[in-house]
């Protein structure tokens, strides 16, 4: 039976404002399937975002939804989750929103390991503002502010999240909706801070400037660069330049080196704070 | 007999009053001279089951208290000049989305890092105009420790009654002062809470003006499932660019405070009955003014004081009346004339406005004020 997306959408808000063929819709649908798999209740769930095309996603979801300021979605979400630790909080963010203006909040949310899930739609560009380069625009590519070719090195969002302490980290692309669904579901289920990077196409703002102005060629450009993490491990660094390494970077089953674990959160944050309250109250 | 007497600092009283007002969330970032408030909150909140979190910066702190408030928990942050600057964008968000919360700004000298540890009243105008766009402002200026407690509770009440962020502008001197004071009986406190919806979720709109200029606010997770944005929005909470709706909504924001000015404005007269010289003051400088007035009175000078306990909104009608009655208004401030510039507009040519403006970090001494009183006499 076909999945009933309408159960979770504010149908009166459709048609959405995204360009036809934009990858954000794939991510949104994968996310809705994931919350359905987990049987999450709409009243108990909040979707929070910053500013950008990606950040418009919560507005279409029939839950408690909060569209905040550019890059700051995580800070509002932290307040919600700390105030109501038993509720579900999911954050949508663009690559610019999460790693440029909101980069500080991003690493600190990872470090705290609060039980929330951050979904970053990485389209390698500032979509909403007309295609300026972002911290994930590959070197040599064009944006409206890098017409001679970008010279800014990129962040690797997943490695950043892993180093900062997130306890579930995975990357897939809009070419693999089912995998995105699986990763998002694992992220939502993880009792800690989860980051799912969904590499996506912005043919309108990124593609157009780089000879792939339609969704198909833009998605093919992504597809051709996908390399599973396991395979990437045996490849030379030079061959991995500008590639999209997909897979789970941190999960319960992941094979992290021991030394990488030495500073990792021992506990989910709201649980640790709940224990602190109990301890203080007992003393009183 | 007095009973509730204990030693408190101003910072401690902000924390105590907040908790007594029902605040159960504090998100902050340390900055002199406000850090003691965060320290007290970190100690006291867990005892009542509340949450303290030290965020990564003031932007995050401001975001966190808005989030917590939307989830139904009264929230506080505390900061000082540079941190207050960082909060401005999210403060604007709280105005726009009409989210109650309280910001205590223990002022320090500026611009920039300025004078971190010294007394200043540098943010009178930042509180008024710090974020972009038009919005009403409620800001309180306690001058005494008892007042820190009383006005902090009032700040929470105003924020809940009018769905608005409320600012406490505290002088460093008062935040750091410690004395024995008597607190009011807790059972006698008036505590206001936001009005929730009275209709079923299907009939609820987060910005429904059918209920007046302050729409009922549903907390998240209570079954109402609505949308909140900082974009201009219609009554459903979703973005709109309809010029008429946007205009009407911005005007409503201003009106919800202006129409209730009578309940918000708060000032005190001191020896004003026969005064023909008036000192217009707020915060710690009003305490120096009081001493100066007592001395001047002994010299036979008819001087009094109008002291603001709430600085925004201003008691405009009373100021206007004053301007046509007295021969001079003296405005002592620990800045270069942020409030006296405003008073001058009211005065037009009807009376003389004389500022006493110190920005070196040293409090204005009563003798400084007395000298000016003698000059204008
Ligand atoms: C403080 C602030 N600075 C800048 C902007 C303008 N702005 C809006 S969206 C955006 C970039 C969005 O890019 P990204 O986060 O990658 O989202 P996308 O649109 O690509 O999904 C910028 C710079 C803003 N809204 N607020
Ligand atoms: S501009 Fe790009 S990111 Fe935004 S909706 Fe269009 S394709 Fe999607
Ligand atoms: Mg982007």
């Amino acid at each position: 039976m076909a999945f009933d997306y309408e159960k979770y959408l504010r149908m009166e808000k459709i048609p959405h404002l995204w360009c036809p063929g934009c990858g954000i819709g794939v991510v949104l649908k994968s996310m809705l399937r994931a919350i359905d798999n987990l049987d999450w209740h709409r009243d108990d769930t909040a979707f929070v975002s910053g500013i950008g095309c990606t950040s418009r996603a919560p507005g279409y979801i029939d839950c408690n939804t909060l569209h905040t300021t550019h890059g700051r979605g995580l800070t509002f979400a932290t307040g919600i989750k700390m105030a109501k630790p038993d509720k579900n909080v999911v954050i949508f963010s663009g690559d610019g929103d999460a790693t440029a203006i909101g980069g500080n909040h991003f690493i600190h949310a990872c470090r705290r390991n609060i039980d929330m899930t951050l979904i970053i739609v990485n389209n390698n560009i500032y979509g909403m503002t007309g295609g300026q380069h972002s911290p994930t625009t590959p070197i040599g590519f064009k944006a409206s502010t890098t017409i001679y070719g970008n010279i800014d090195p990129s962040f690797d969002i997943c490695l950043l999240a892993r180093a900062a302490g997130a306890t579930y980290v995975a990357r897939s692309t809009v070419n693999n909706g089912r995998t995105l669904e699986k990763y998002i579901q694992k992220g939502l289920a993880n009792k800690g801070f989860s980051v799912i990077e969904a590499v996506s196409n912005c043919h309108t703002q990124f593609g157009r400037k780089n000879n792939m102005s339609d969704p198909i060629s833009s998605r093919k450009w992504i597809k051709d660069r996908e390399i599973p993490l396991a395979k990437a491990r045996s490849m030379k660094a030079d061959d991995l330049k500008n590639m999209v390494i997909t897979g789970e970077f941190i999960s319960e089953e992941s094979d992290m080196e021991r030394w990488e674990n030495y500073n990792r959160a021992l506990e989910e944050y709201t649980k640790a704070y709940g224990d602190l309250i109990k301890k203080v109250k007992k003393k009183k | 007999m007095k009973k509730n007497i204990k030693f408190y600092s101003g910072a401690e009283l902000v924390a105590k009053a907040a908790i007594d007002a029902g605040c159960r969330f504090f998100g902050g970032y340390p900055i002199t001279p406000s850090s003691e408030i965060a320290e007290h909150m970190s100690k006291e909140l867990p005892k009542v089951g509340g949450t303290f979190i030290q965020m990564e910066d003031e932007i995050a702190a401001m975001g966190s208290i808005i989030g917590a408030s939307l989830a139904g928990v009264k929230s506080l942050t505390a900061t000082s000049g540079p941190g207050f600057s960082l909060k401005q964008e999210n403060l604007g968000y709280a105005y726009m989305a009409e989210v109650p919360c309280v910001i205590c700004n223990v002022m320090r000298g500026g611009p920039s890092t300025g004078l971190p540890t010294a007394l200043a009243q540098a943010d009178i105008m930042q509180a008024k105009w710090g974020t972009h766009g038009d919005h009403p402002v409620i800001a309180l200026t306690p001058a005494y420790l008892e007042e820190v407690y009383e006005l902090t509770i009032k700040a929470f009440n105003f924020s809940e009654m009018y769905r608005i962020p409320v600012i406490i502008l505290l002088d460093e001197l008062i935040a750091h002062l410690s004395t024995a004071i008597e607190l009011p009986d807790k059972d006698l406190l008036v505590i206001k809470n936001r009005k929730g919806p009275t209709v079923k979720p299907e009939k609820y709109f987060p910005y429904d003006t059918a209920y007046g200029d302050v729409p009922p606010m549903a907390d998240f997770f209570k079954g109402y499932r609505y949308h909140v944005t900082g974009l201009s929005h219609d009554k459903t909470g979703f973005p709109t660019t309809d010029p008429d709706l946007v205009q009407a909504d911005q005007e409503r924001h201003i009106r919800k405070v202006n129409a209730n000015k009578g309940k918000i404005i708060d000032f005190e007269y001191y020896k004003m009955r026969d005064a023909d010289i008036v000192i217009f003051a707020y915060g710690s400088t009003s305490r120096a003014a009081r001493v100066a007035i007592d001395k001047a009175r002994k010299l036979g000078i008819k001087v009094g004081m109008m002291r603001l306990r709430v600085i925004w909104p201003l008691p405009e009608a009373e100021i206007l009346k004053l301007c046509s009655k007295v021969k001079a208004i003296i405005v002592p401030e620990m800045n270069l004339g942020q409030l006296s510039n405003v008073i001058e507009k009211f005065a037009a040519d009807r009376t003389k406005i004389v500022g006493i403006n110190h920005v070196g970090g040293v409090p204005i001494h009563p003798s400084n004020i007395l000298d000016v009183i003698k000059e204008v006499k």
Side-chain angles (χ1 to χ4, degrees):
Chain A
M1 209 179 76
F3 185 82
D4 179 17
Y5 292 103
E6 295 190 13
K7 179 175 161 194
Y8 294 100
L9 290 173
R10 290 171 169 145
M11 290 308 291
E12 71 278 13
K13 298 293 159 197
I14 310 288
H16 53 67
L17 58 57
W18 297 312
C19 307
C22 172
I24 298 171
V26 176
V27 185
L28 175 59
K29 287 168 82 176
S30 306
M31 203 278 312
L32 294 180
R33 293 194 302 275
I35 63 169
D36 192 72
N37 296 341
L38 292 170
D39 211 13
W40 274 17
H41 286 256
R42 290 175 299 166
D43 284 333
D44 296 335
T45 305
F47 285 93
V48 184
S49 64
I51 299 286
C53 292
T54 305
S55 291
R56 289 304 188 95
Y60 300 112
I61 309 171
D62 186 13
C63 283
N64 305 280
T65 57
L66 181 61
H67 176 235
T68 72
T69 46
H70 191 25
R72 321 297 178 194
L74 279 168
T75 71
F76 290 66
T78 299
I80 295 174
K81 184 69 184 180
M82 293 304 291
K84 300 282 167 193
D86 57 330
K87 304 297 179 191
N88 308 313
V89 182
V90 182
I91 304 95
F92 270 94
S93 199
D95 43 317
D97 197 63
T99 68
I101 192 164
N104 198 29
H105 310 310
F106 174 43
I107 55 174
H108 286 278
C110 293
R111 173 180 65 83
R112 283 193 196 98
N113 193 35
I114 305 183
D115 181 16
M116 307 192 289
T117 299
L118 168 66
I119 300 170
I120 301 176
V121 177
N122 177 9
N123 52 18
N124 308 101
I125 201 82
Y126 287 1
M128 178 154 271
T129 40
Q132 299 79 15
H133 69 291
S134 88
T136 62
T137 303
I139 287 188
F141 280 73
K142 286 184 180 161
S144 66
T145 43
T146 59
I147 56 165
Y148 307 113
N150 177 37
I151 60 163
D152 265 35
S154 289
F155 270 138
D156 183 313
I157 293 174
C158 288
L159 294 185
L160 193 57
R162 183 168 95 168
T167 45
Y168 180 81
V169 178
R171 177 191 291 133
S172 189
T173 79
V174 293
N175 294 316
N176 316 291
R178 288 290 162 198
T179 312
L180 273 180
E181 172 188 336
K182 186 178 92 184
Y183 288 170
I184 293 173
Q185 187 176 329
K186 284 180 85 169
L188 299 176
N190 172 42
K191 287 272 162 249
F193 193 72
S194 308
V195 178
I196 290 92
E197 178 187 347
V199 176
S200 182
N201 64 296
C202 173
H203 49 287
T204 308
Q205 298 299 357
F206 181 73
R208 192 163 46 87
K209 299 175 182 72
N210 294 287
N211 303 320
M212 40 192 180
S213 57
D214 63 292
I216 295 177
S217 57
S218 272
R219 285 197 196 174
K220 184 167 182 304
W221 173 70
I222 296 169
K223 183 94 212 155
D224 292 345
R225 289 153 49 245
E226 289 175 19
I227 295 178
L229 186 56
K231 187 173 170 205
R233 286 215 165 92
S234 60
M235 287 170 63
K236 286 204 206 89
D238 273 353
D239 297 333
L240 291 171
K241 272 210 181 101
N242 279 353
M243 292 296 171
V244 181
I245 300 170
T246 59
E248 293 175 296
F249 288 71
I250 295 266
S251 69
E252 261 170 43
E253 313 91 68
S254 75
D255 52 350
M256 285 247 310
E257 299 281 346
R258 255 172 75 89
W259 66 267
E260 280 185 90
N261 258 318
Y262 71 106
N263 242 347
R264 206 151 285 275
L266 299 173
E267 244 182 331
E268 192 278 322
Y269 192 86
T270 59
K271 179 171 181 307
Y273 199 83
D275 291 346
L276 180 149
I277 290 179
K278 276 187 215 135
K279 196 172 82 188
V280 173
K281 279 191 166 169
K282 214 191 276 162
K283 244 204 264 169
K284 204 171 96 179
Chain B
M1 207 190 84
K2 292 188 171 187
K3 38 186 186 151
N4 245 337
I5 299 182
K6 257 180 80 180
F7 257 95
Y8 292 104
S9 73
E12 205 174 348
L13 283 168
V14 172
K16 182 159 180 44
I19 289 175
D20 289 351
C23 171
R24 291 294 178 271
F25 183 89
F26 182 97
Y29 190 80
I31 181 167
T32 303
S34 78
S35 302
E36 291 86 347
I37 298 174
E39 288 164 359
H40 286 298
M41 289 306 266
S42 74
K43 182 168 156 232
E44 297 304 324
L45 272 174
K47 294 183 189 167
V48 293
T51 306
F52 167 90
I53 187 165
Q54 183 167 308
M55 296 298 285
E56 52 273 19
D57 58 29
E58 288 86 349
I59 302 171
M62 190 65 213
S64 75
I65 70 164
I66 297 171
S69 179
L70 279 166
V73 176
K74 289 187 190 175
S75 307
L76 172 73
T77 188
T79 190
S80 186
F84 194 45
S85 297
L86 284 180
K87 286 183 196 294
Q88 293 298 334
E89 189 194 9
N90 282 345
L91 178 60
Y93 186 95
Y95 284 120
M96 189 57 150
E98 299 182 76
V99 184
C101 52
V102 176
I103 300 97
C104 180
N105 175 13
V106 185
M107 293 178 285
R108 62 192 253 178
S112 190
T113 315
L115 282 176
T117 56
L119 176 68
Q121 296 173 318
D123 298 330
I124 306 307
M125 280 300 159
Q126 189 178 194
K128 182 88 171 87
W129 295 116
T131 196
H132 60 289
D134 293 297
H135 55 86
V137 177
I138 302 179
L140 297 77
T141 44
Y144 298 89
L145 290 195
E146 290 85 349
E147 230 169 52
V148 171
Y149 183 84
E150 182 200 343
L151 292 186
T152 300
I153 289 187
K154 261 201 162 177
F156 275 95
N157 285 349
F158 286 151
S159 78
E160 295 283 317
M161 288 161 72
Y162 304 117
R163 282 188 71 170
I164 189 174
V166 173
I167 298 161
I168 302 168
L169 292 173
L170 196 57
D171 289 3
E172 176 275 338
L173 200 76
I174 296 161
H176 287 161
L177 196 67
S178 271
T179 43
I181 64 156
E182 186 188 20
L183 289 181
D185 202 332
K186 241 179 158 177
D187 301 330
L188 300 178
L189 292 177
V190 179
I191 305 296
K192 303 276 188 188
N193 295 308
R194 62 192 70 170
K195 277 207 185 75
T198 48
V199 295
K200 291 217 168 82
E202 309 84 74
K203 294 253 164 70
Y204 176 71
F205 300 107
Y207 302 100
D208 197 346
T209 51
Y211 300 88
D213 284 337
V214 185
M217 177 175 174
D219 299 332
F220 270 20
F221 311 116
K222 291 272 170 71
Y224 286 84
R225 296 207 306 271
Y226 62 99
H227 186 60
V228 182
T229 178
L231 286 165
S232 292
H233 43 264
D234 61 18
K235 73 171 184 179
T236 67
F238 284 92
T240 181
T241 51
D242 180 320
D244 295 335
L245 289 180
V246 174
Q247 175 96 19
D249 203 51
Q250 290 225 6
E251 286 174 0
R252 172 179 65 79
H253 280 230
I254 302 286
R255 202 167 55 229
K256 74 176 177 180
V257 167
N258 271 5
N260 289 296
K261 254 187 185 171
K263 285 181 239 161
I264 301 168
I265 284 175
D266 194 342
F267 59 88
E268 185 193 79
Y269 286 135
Y270 182 65
K271 301 199 173 166
M272 281 290 283
R273 205 149 30 99
D274 59 346
D276 56 11
I277 298 171
V278 174
I279 298 178
F280 193 78
Y282 54 91
S284 61
T285 43
S286 72
R287 297 175 66 156
R290 210 177 154 104
V291 177
I293 290 166
D294 291 348
K295 287 195 172 149
R297 284 274 169 182
K298 284 198 185 122
L299 303 173
I301 306 172
K302 289 179 185 160
V303 54
M305 172 161 64
M306 182 174 186
R307 175 173 79 86
L308 298 177
R309 283 161 36 100
V310 169
I311 195 161
W312 303 119
L314 276 180
E316 295 174 355
E318 288 78 3
I319 297 171
L320 269 176
K321 239 186 276 164
L322 213 62
C323 288
S324 34
K325 230 173 70 183
V326 300
K327 66 178 183 203
I329 299 178
I330 300 169
V331 192
E333 293 183 272
M334 294 295 293
N335 59 51
L336 290 183
Q338 295 191 18
L339 194 63
S340 64
N341 283 340
V342 178
I343 307 303
E344 245 168 63
K345 292 205 183 86
F346 285 98
D349 287 330
R350 278 167 296 179
T351 187
K352 190 162 67 175
I353 306 294
V354 187
I356 303 174
N357 304 103
H358 289 199
V359 289
V362 183
I364 297 175
H365 195 271
S367 64
N368 302 137
I369 301 175
L370 187 60
D371 288 346
V372 177
I373 294 173
K374 286 182 192 158
E375 265 168 44
V376 300
K377 169 180 76 105

